[in-house]
mmCIF file of all heavy atoms in Angstrom:
data_model
loop_
_atom_site.group_PDB
_atom_site.id
_atom_site.type_symbol
_atom_site.label_atom_id
_atom_site.label_comp_id
_atom_site.label_asym_id
_atom_site.label_seq_id
_atom_site.Cartn_x
_atom_site.Cartn_y
_atom_site.Cartn_z
ATOM 1 N N ILE G 1 42.374 -20.881 -10.531
ATOM 2 C CA ILE G 1 41.895 -21.289 -11.814
ATOM 3 C C ILE G 1 41.604 -20.260 -12.746
ATOM 4 O O ILE G 1 41.872 -20.279 -13.978
ATOM 5 C CB ILE G 1 40.722 -22.291 -11.640
ATOM 6 C CG1 ILE G 1 41.174 -23.591 -10.807
ATOM 7 C CG2 ILE G 1 40.112 -22.716 -12.910
ATOM 8 C CD1 ILE G 1 40.169 -24.616 -10.556
ATOM 9 N N ASN G 2 40.892 -19.188 -12.369
ATOM 10 C CA ASN G 2 40.464 -18.165 -13.212
ATOM 11 C C ASN G 2 41.730 -17.448 -13.642
ATOM 12 O O ASN G 2 41.805 -16.888 -14.882
ATOM 13 C CB ASN G 2 39.511 -17.214 -12.535
ATOM 14 C CG ASN G 2 38.141 -17.799 -12.437
ATOM 15 O OD1 ASN G 2 37.752 -18.546 -13.293
ATOM 16 N ND2 ASN G 2 37.422 -17.479 -11.301
ATOM 17 N N ARG G 3 42.761 -17.278 -12.900
ATOM 18 C CA ARG G 3 43.985 -16.622 -13.334
ATOM 19 C C ARG G 3 44.649 -17.405 -14.363
ATOM 20 O O ARG G 3 45.146 -16.960 -15.386
ATOM 21 C CB ARG G 3 44.858 -16.282 -12.166
ATOM 22 C CG ARG G 3 44.507 -15.149 -11.387
ATOM 23 C CD ARG G 3 45.767 -14.932 -10.305
ATOM 24 N NE ARG G 3 46.060 -15.877 -9.420
ATOM 25 C CZ ARG G 3 45.494 -16.103 -8.146
ATOM 26 N NH1 ARG G 3 44.505 -15.150 -7.744
ATOM 27 N NH2 ARG G 3 45.721 -17.068 -7.389
ATOM 28 N N LEU G 4 44.669 -18.691 -14.206
ATOM 29 C CA LEU G 4 45.362 -19.628 -15.162
ATOM 30 C C LEU G 4 44.555 -19.648 -16.501
ATOM 31 O O LEU G 4 45.199 -19.648 -17.463
ATOM 32 C CB LEU G 4 45.290 -21.175 -14.570
ATOM 33 C CG LEU G 4 45.971 -22.149 -15.532
ATOM 34 C CD1 LEU G 4 47.228 -21.788 -15.979
ATOM 35 C CD2 LEU G 4 45.844 -23.527 -14.862
ATOM 36 N N ARG G 5 43.225 -19.611 -16.445
ATOM 37 C CA ARG G 5 42.406 -19.541 -17.627
ATOM 38 C C ARG G 5 42.833 -18.244 -18.453
ATOM 39 O O ARG G 5 42.872 -18.359 -19.661
ATOM 40 C CB ARG G 5 41.009 -19.603 -17.381
ATOM 41 C CG ARG G 5 40.462 -21.054 -16.981
ATOM 42 C CD ARG G 5 39.092 -20.935 -16.477
ATOM 43 N NE ARG G 5 38.643 -22.293 -16.109
ATOM 44 C CZ ARG G 5 37.467 -22.582 -15.684
ATOM 45 N NH1 ARG G 5 36.538 -21.626 -15.401
ATOM 46 N NH2 ARG G 5 37.178 -23.856 -15.370
ATOM 47 N N LYS G 6 42.925 -17.162 -17.808
ATOM 48 C CA LYS G 6 43.242 -15.882 -18.428
ATOM 49 C C LYS G 6 44.628 -16.016 -19.040
ATOM 50 O O LYS G 6 44.870 -15.506 -20.198
ATOM 51 C CB LYS G 6 43.245 -14.742 -17.497
ATOM 52 C CG LYS G 6 41.864 -14.169 -17.095
ATOM 53 C CD LYS G 6 41.393 -13.134 -18.322
ATOM 54 C CE LYS G 6 40.156 -12.531 -18.002
ATOM 55 N NZ LYS G 6 40.313 -11.320 -17.244
ATOM 56 N N ARG G 7 45.604 -16.593 -18.303
ATOM 57 C CA ARG G 7 46.870 -16.894 -18.788
ATOM 58 C C ARG G 7 46.913 -17.675 -20.132
ATOM 59 O O ARG G 7 47.536 -17.334 -21.153
ATOM 60 C CB ARG G 7 47.824 -17.439 -17.699
ATOM 61 C CG ARG G 7 49.262 -17.454 -18.320
ATOM 62 C CD ARG G 7 50.182 -18.095 -17.237
ATOM 63 N NE ARG G 7 50.034 -17.555 -15.922
ATOM 64 C CZ ARG G 7 50.697 -17.880 -14.842
ATOM 65 N NH1 ARG G 7 51.543 -18.886 -14.864
ATOM 66 N NH2 ARG G 7 50.534 -17.161 -13.729
ATOM 67 N N GLN G 8 46.070 -18.743 -20.111
ATOM 68 C CA GLN G 8 45.984 -19.650 -21.332
ATOM 69 C C GLN G 8 45.326 -18.888 -22.494
ATOM 70 O O GLN G 8 45.788 -19.121 -23.563
ATOM 71 C CB GLN G 8 45.202 -20.958 -20.880
ATOM 72 C CG GLN G 8 45.865 -21.861 -20.004
ATOM 73 C CD GLN G 8 46.902 -22.604 -20.629
ATOM 74 O OE1 GLN G 8 47.978 -22.153 -20.972
ATOM 75 N NE2 GLN G 8 46.597 -23.872 -20.950
ATOM 76 N N ILE G 9 44.216 -18.053 -22.115
ATOM 77 C CA ILE G 9 43.676 -17.404 -23.264
ATOM 78 C C ILE G 9 44.734 -16.416 -23.946
ATOM 79 O O ILE G 9 44.892 -16.348 -25.163
ATOM 80 C CB ILE G 9 42.513 -16.555 -22.676
ATOM 81 C CG1 ILE G 9 41.326 -17.448 -22.446
ATOM 82 C CG2 ILE G 9 42.114 -15.377 -23.690
ATOM 83 C CD1 ILE G 9 40.231 -16.735 -21.579
ATOM 84 N N LYS G 10 45.588 -15.733 -23.093
ATOM 85 C CA LYS G 10 46.600 -14.869 -23.748
ATOM 86 C C LYS G 10 47.618 -15.859 -24.487
ATOM 87 O O LYS G 10 48.184 -15.278 -25.474
ATOM 88 C CB LYS G 10 47.239 -14.139 -22.587
ATOM 89 C CG LYS G 10 46.324 -13.089 -22.010
ATOM 90 C CD LYS G 10 47.103 -12.081 -20.968
ATOM 91 C CE LYS G 10 47.382 -12.725 -19.688
ATOM 92 N NZ LYS G 10 47.949 -11.780 -18.728
ATOM 93 N N ASN G 11 47.980 -16.987 -23.934
ATOM 94 C CA ASN G 11 48.863 -17.908 -24.797
ATOM 95 C C ASN G 11 48.288 -18.167 -26.018
ATOM 96 O O ASN G 11 49.123 -18.125 -27.060
ATOM 97 C CB ASN G 11 49.143 -19.092 -23.927
ATOM 98 C CG ASN G 11 49.930 -18.895 -22.649
ATOM 99 O OD1 ASN G 11 50.689 -17.977 -22.613
ATOM 100 N ND2 ASN G 11 49.781 -19.737 -21.584
ATOM 101 N N PHE G 12 46.998 -18.586 -26.203
ATOM 102 C CA PHE G 12 46.560 -18.950 -27.464
ATOM 103 C C PHE G 12 46.514 -17.703 -28.329
ATOM 104 O O PHE G 12 46.690 -17.776 -29.598
ATOM 105 C CB PHE G 12 45.024 -19.524 -27.314
ATOM 106 C CG PHE G 12 44.975 -20.943 -26.760
ATOM 107 C CD1 PHE G 12 44.401 -21.229 -25.607
ATOM 108 C CD2 PHE G 12 45.392 -21.782 -27.583
ATOM 109 C CE1 PHE G 12 44.392 -22.603 -25.190
ATOM 110 C CE2 PHE G 12 45.395 -23.215 -27.217
ATOM 111 C CZ PHE G 12 44.843 -23.541 -25.919
ATOM 112 N N LEU G 13 46.119 -16.555 -27.870
ATOM 113 C CA LEU G 13 46.085 -15.301 -28.624
ATOM 114 C C LEU G 13 47.422 -14.991 -29.152
ATOM 115 O O LEU G 13 47.563 -14.502 -30.303
ATOM 116 C CB LEU G 13 45.500 -14.153 -27.796
ATOM 117 C CG LEU G 13 43.862 -14.251 -27.582
ATOM 118 C CD1 LEU G 13 43.498 -13.304 -26.565
ATOM 119 C CD2 LEU G 13 43.118 -14.117 -28.846
ATOM 120 N N ALA G 14 48.470 -15.048 -28.287
ATOM 121 C CA ALA G 14 49.749 -14.834 -28.662
ATOM 122 C C ALA G 14 50.304 -15.660 -29.854
ATOM 123 O O ALA G 14 50.798 -15.114 -30.864
ATOM 124 C CB ALA G 14 50.737 -14.887 -27.593
ATOM 125 N N LEU G 15 50.080 -16.895 -29.817
ATOM 126 C CA LEU G 15 50.526 -17.784 -30.775
ATOM 127 C C LEU G 15 49.689 -17.587 -32.260
ATOM 128 O O LEU G 15 50.299 -17.681 -33.197
ATOM 129 C CB LEU G 15 50.522 -19.273 -30.450
ATOM 130 C CG LEU G 15 51.733 -19.756 -29.769
ATOM 131 C CD1 LEU G 15 51.702 -21.094 -29.217
ATOM 132 C CD2 LEU G 15 52.986 -19.690 -30.840
ATOM 133 N N THR G 16 48.538 -17.173 -31.927
ATOM 134 C CA THR G 16 47.563 -16.981 -33.259
ATOM 135 C C THR G 16 48.000 -15.710 -33.784
ATOM 136 O O THR G 16 48.199 -15.687 -35.151
ATOM 137 C CB THR G 16 46.169 -16.837 -32.902
ATOM 138 O OG1 THR G 16 45.721 -18.048 -32.277
ATOM 139 C CG2 THR G 16 45.313 -16.581 -33.962
ATOM 140 N N LEU G 17 48.281 -14.658 -33.199
ATOM 141 C CA LEU G 17 48.506 -13.451 -33.725
ATOM 142 C C LEU G 17 50.103 -13.126 -33.995
ATOM 143 O O LEU G 17 50.350 -12.153 -34.825
ATOM 144 C CB LEU G 17 48.127 -12.222 -32.961
ATOM 145 C CG LEU G 17 46.484 -12.030 -32.946
ATOM 146 C CD1 LEU G 17 45.987 -11.242 -31.731
ATOM 147 C CD2 LEU G 17 45.935 -11.548 -34.317
ATOM 148 N N LEU G 18 50.957 -13.848 -33.533
ATOM 149 C CA LEU G 18 52.379 -13.619 -33.699
ATOM 150 C C LEU G 18 52.861 -14.791 -34.688
ATOM 151 O O LEU G 18 54.239 -14.710 -34.873
ATOM 152 C CB LEU G 18 53.070 -13.607 -32.390
ATOM 153 C CG LEU G 18 52.705 -12.412 -31.620
ATOM 154 C CD1 LEU G 18 53.420 -12.337 -30.275
ATOM 155 C CD2 LEU G 18 52.841 -11.115 -32.348
ATOM 156 N N SER G 19 52.210 -15.634 -35.031
ATOM 157 C CA SER G 19 52.724 -16.661 -35.938
ATOM 158 C C SER G 19 52.618 -16.257 -37.358
ATOM 159 O O SER G 19 51.747 -15.463 -37.692
ATOM 160 C CB SER G 19 51.878 -17.974 -35.915
ATOM 161 O OG SER G 19 52.083 -18.711 -34.565
ATOM 162 N N ALA G 20 53.558 -16.550 -38.259
ATOM 163 C CA ALA G 20 53.531 -16.202 -39.693
ATOM 164 C C ALA G 20 52.290 -16.952 -40.408
ATOM 165 O O ALA G 20 51.907 -17.999 -39.963
ATOM 166 C CB ALA G 20 54.799 -16.731 -40.310
ATOM 167 N N GLY G 21 51.675 -16.281 -41.426
ATOM 168 C CA GLY G 21 50.497 -16.707 -41.807
ATOM 169 C C GLY G 21 49.438 -15.641 -41.872
ATOM 170 O O GLY G 21 49.724 -14.401 -41.651
ATOM 171 N N THR G 22 48.095 -15.971 -41.976
ATOM 172 C CA THR G 22 47.066 -15.068 -41.886
ATOM 173 C C THR G 22 46.337 -15.355 -40.591
ATOM 174 O O THR G 22 45.591 -16.351 -40.640
ATOM 175 C CB THR G 22 46.207 -15.055 -43.061
ATOM 176 O OG1 THR G 22 46.880 -14.806 -44.320
ATOM 177 C CG2 THR G 22 45.117 -14.086 -42.960
ATOM 178 N N PRO G 23 46.337 -14.517 -39.676
ATOM 179 C CA PRO G 23 45.488 -14.803 -38.364
ATOM 180 C C PRO G 23 44.117 -14.547 -38.440
ATOM 181 O O PRO G 23 43.675 -13.595 -39.085
ATOM 182 C CB PRO G 23 46.303 -13.871 -37.313
ATOM 183 C CG PRO G 23 46.722 -12.602 -38.115
ATOM 184 C CD PRO G 23 47.092 -13.274 -39.528
ATOM 185 N N MET G 24 43.274 -15.313 -37.783
ATOM 186 C CA MET G 24 41.967 -15.128 -37.735
ATOM 187 C C MET G 24 41.469 -15.286 -36.317
ATOM 188 O O MET G 24 41.756 -16.207 -35.590
ATOM 189 C CB MET G 24 41.221 -16.171 -38.450
ATOM 190 C CG MET G 24 39.653 -15.935 -38.726
ATOM 191 S SD MET G 24 38.655 -17.207 -39.553
ATOM 192 C CE MET G 24 38.579 -18.435 -38.234
ATOM 193 N N LEU G 25 40.704 -14.263 -35.857
ATOM 194 C CA LEU G 25 40.030 -14.127 -34.585
ATOM 195 C C LEU G 25 38.615 -14.482 -34.686
ATOM 196 O O LEU G 25 38.038 -14.201 -35.728
ATOM 197 C CB LEU G 25 40.209 -12.852 -33.871
ATOM 198 C CG LEU G 25 41.775 -12.395 -33.597
ATOM 199 C CD1 LEU G 25 41.749 -10.893 -33.213
ATOM 200 C CD2 LEU G 25 42.355 -13.220 -32.583
ATOM 201 N N THR G 26 37.987 -15.063 -33.575
ATOM 202 C CA THR G 26 36.662 -15.233 -33.570
ATOM 203 C C THR G 26 35.916 -14.211 -32.800
ATOM 204 O O THR G 26 36.355 -13.818 -31.648
ATOM 205 C CB THR G 26 36.211 -16.631 -33.065
ATOM 206 O OG1 THR G 26 37.047 -17.524 -33.849
ATOM 207 C CG2 THR G 26 34.878 -16.858 -33.053
ATOM 208 N N MET G 27 34.816 -13.718 -33.282
ATOM 209 C CA MET G 27 33.962 -12.614 -32.613
ATOM 210 C C MET G 27 33.818 -12.969 -31.079
ATOM 211 O O MET G 27 33.371 -14.089 -30.835
ATOM 212 C CB MET G 27 32.610 -12.560 -33.214
ATOM 213 C CG MET G 27 31.791 -11.505 -32.653
ATOM 214 S SD MET G 27 30.009 -11.527 -33.269
ATOM 215 C CE MET G 27 29.309 -12.756 -32.212
ATOM 216 N N GLY G 28 34.351 -12.045 -30.254
ATOM 217 C CA GLY G 28 34.150 -12.174 -28.752
ATOM 218 C C GLY G 28 35.237 -12.759 -28.029
ATOM 219 O O GLY G 28 35.332 -12.659 -26.832
ATOM 220 N N ASP G 29 36.040 -13.489 -28.793
ATOM 221 C CA ASP G 29 37.368 -13.994 -28.012
ATOM 222 C C ASP G 29 38.187 -13.033 -27.433
ATOM 223 O O ASP G 29 38.842 -13.258 -26.494
ATOM 224 C CB ASP G 29 38.084 -14.819 -29.004
ATOM 225 C CG ASP G 29 37.572 -16.285 -29.181
ATOM 226 O OD1 ASP G 29 36.516 -16.670 -28.448
ATOM 227 O OD2 ASP G 29 38.086 -17.097 -30.099
ATOM 228 N N GLU G 30 38.116 -11.868 -27.942
ATOM 229 C CA GLU G 30 38.923 -10.649 -27.462
ATOM 230 C C GLU G 30 38.269 -10.162 -26.003
ATOM 231 O O GLU G 30 39.013 -9.386 -25.511
ATOM 232 C CB GLU G 30 39.132 -9.533 -28.483
ATOM 233 C CG GLU G 30 37.839 -8.681 -28.629
ATOM 234 C CD GLU G 30 36.808 -9.247 -29.554
ATOM 235 O OE1 GLU G 30 36.862 -10.371 -29.876
ATOM 236 O OE2 GLU G 30 35.861 -8.617 -29.847
ATOM 237 N N VAL G 31 37.085 -10.684 -25.820
ATOM 238 C CA VAL G 31 36.459 -10.137 -24.637
ATOM 239 C C VAL G 31 36.010 -11.403 -23.692
ATOM 240 O O VAL G 31 35.199 -11.285 -22.919
ATOM 241 C CB VAL G 31 35.409 -9.193 -24.653
ATOM 242 C CG1 VAL G 31 35.924 -7.853 -25.243
ATOM 243 C CG2 VAL G 31 34.438 -9.736 -25.649
ATOM 244 N N CYS G 32 36.545 -12.590 -24.123
ATOM 245 C CA CYS G 32 36.126 -13.880 -23.384
ATOM 246 C C CYS G 32 34.639 -14.189 -23.410
ATOM 247 O O CYS G 32 34.107 -14.609 -22.294
ATOM 248 C CB CYS G 32 36.657 -13.738 -21.860
ATOM 249 S SG CYS G 32 38.386 -13.369 -21.560
ATOM 250 N N ARG G 33 34.124 -14.039 -24.570
ATOM 251 C CA ARG G 33 32.761 -14.578 -24.741
ATOM 252 C C ARG G 33 32.655 -16.120 -24.550
ATOM 253 O O ARG G 33 33.525 -16.779 -24.984
ATOM 254 C CB ARG G 33 32.155 -14.287 -26.095
ATOM 255 C CG ARG G 33 30.778 -14.507 -26.297
ATOM 256 C CD ARG G 33 30.375 -14.186 -27.842
ATOM 257 N NE ARG G 33 30.871 -15.114 -28.701
ATOM 258 C CZ ARG G 33 30.205 -16.147 -29.159
ATOM 259 N NH1 ARG G 33 29.132 -16.504 -28.610
ATOM 260 N NH2 ARG G 33 30.722 -17.024 -30.033
ATOM 261 N N SER G 34 31.540 -16.427 -23.833
ATOM 262 C CA SER G 34 31.305 -17.883 -23.432
ATOM 263 C C SER G 34 30.069 -18.260 -24.073
ATOM 264 O O SER G 34 29.121 -17.499 -24.198
ATOM 265 C CB SER G 34 31.369 -18.120 -21.991
ATOM 266 O OG SER G 34 30.928 -19.466 -21.735
ATOM 267 N N GLN G 35 30.034 -19.635 -24.393
ATOM 268 C CA GLN G 35 28.697 -20.309 -24.903
ATOM 269 C C GLN G 35 28.474 -21.392 -23.860
ATOM 270 O O GLN G 35 27.588 -22.267 -24.277
ATOM 271 C CB GLN G 35 28.892 -20.894 -26.300
ATOM 272 C CG GLN G 35 29.003 -19.770 -27.265
ATOM 273 C CD GLN G 35 29.178 -20.324 -28.773
ATOM 274 O OE1 GLN G 35 29.170 -19.431 -29.727
ATOM 275 N NE2 GLN G 35 29.488 -21.515 -28.902
ATOM 276 N N TRP G 36 28.868 -21.291 -22.692
ATOM 277 C CA TRP G 36 28.579 -22.177 -21.589
ATOM 278 C C TRP G 36 28.873 -23.628 -22.089
ATOM 279 O O TRP G 36 28.142 -24.598 -21.669
ATOM 280 C CB TRP G 36 27.198 -22.040 -21.096
ATOM 281 C CG TRP G 36 26.928 -20.629 -20.633
ATOM 282 C CD1 TRP G 36 26.323 -19.670 -21.305
ATOM 283 C CD2 TRP G 36 27.243 -20.053 -19.357
ATOM 284 N NE1 TRP G 36 26.226 -18.540 -20.698
ATOM 285 C CE2 TRP G 36 26.934 -18.691 -19.427
ATOM 286 C CE3 TRP G 36 27.982 -20.517 -18.277
ATOM 287 C CZ2 TRP G 36 27.082 -17.837 -18.413
ATOM 288 C CZ3 TRP G 36 28.118 -19.676 -17.188
ATOM 289 C CH2 TRP G 36 27.638 -18.395 -17.201
ATOM 290 N N GLY G 37 30.034 -23.861 -22.705
ATOM 291 C CA GLY G 37 30.391 -25.194 -23.125
ATOM 292 C C GLY G 37 29.641 -25.843 -24.289
ATOM 293 O O GLY G 37 30.038 -26.969 -24.684
ATOM 294 N N ASN G 38 28.890 -24.950 -25.060
ATOM 295 C CA ASN G 38 28.053 -25.405 -26.173
ATOM 296 C C ASN G 38 29.206 -25.256 -27.291
ATOM 297 O O ASN G 38 29.569 -24.142 -27.750
ATOM 298 C CB ASN G 38 26.948 -24.637 -26.431
ATOM 299 C CG ASN G 38 25.969 -25.317 -27.514
ATOM 300 O OD1 ASN G 38 26.486 -25.741 -28.483
ATOM 301 N ND2 ASN G 38 24.675 -25.177 -27.348
ATOM 302 N N ASN G 39 29.483 -26.373 -28.055
ATOM 303 C CA ASN G 39 30.532 -26.293 -29.171
ATOM 304 C C ASN G 39 29.756 -26.352 -30.546
ATOM 305 O O ASN G 39 30.575 -26.662 -31.509
ATOM 306 C CB ASN G 39 31.621 -27.187 -28.897
ATOM 307 C CG ASN G 39 31.186 -28.686 -29.254
ATOM 308 O OD1 ASN G 39 29.984 -28.989 -29.368
ATOM 309 N ND2 ASN G 39 32.193 -29.647 -29.340
#
C-alpha cells in the first residue's frame, strides 16, 4: 500500500507539472507532508 501511495503521488505530480497551463504546488507536497486526514 505504501508503494502504491508513492506511485499515486508521483502520478498526480506528473500531471500537475507536465500539463499546459500554470502549475501550482502546495507547501510540503514535494516531501509527502501529512495533516493526518484533516482537510
